[in-house]
């Protein structure tokens, strides 16, 4: 899975901020607060790992 993401060209650091903001908005709208928070924490971990993969 990681390799597939690393193959995507044109990814910039700001994309991660946007993705996390959108993810937070949608999970807040669709789930109870506790579930949304868990999903958002998981997304932050994923974003952190992908960010490191792209930008070191």
């Amino acid at each position: 899975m990681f390799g597939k993401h690393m193959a995507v060209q044109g990814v910039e650091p700001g994309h991660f901020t946007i993705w996390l903001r959108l993810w937070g908005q949608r999970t807040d709208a669709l789930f109870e607060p506790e579930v949304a928070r868990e999903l958002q924490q998981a997304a932050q971990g994923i974003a952190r790992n992908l960010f490191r993969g792209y930008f070191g």
Side-chain angles (χ1 to χ4, degrees):
M1 181 70 81
F2 190 75
K4 296 284 187 185
H5 284 86
M6 294 297 98
V8 176
Q9 300 296 311
V11 176
E12 298 178 10
H15 291 127
F16 290 88
T17 303
I18 294 166
W19 178 70
L20 287 169
R21 180 176 44 82
L22 292 171
W23 181 258
Q25 290 172 350
R26 293 306 297 153
T27 54
D28 282 341
L30 295 172
F31 299 99
E32 295 296 323
E34 187 174 310
V35 174
R37 189 170 39 257
E38 288 178 23
L39 293 169
Q40 292 161 10
Q41 288 172 344
Q44 288 173 357
I46 292 166
R48 181 175 42 253
N49 288 335
L50 288 173
F51 189 92
R52 287 178 184 156
Y54 276 107
F55 308 108

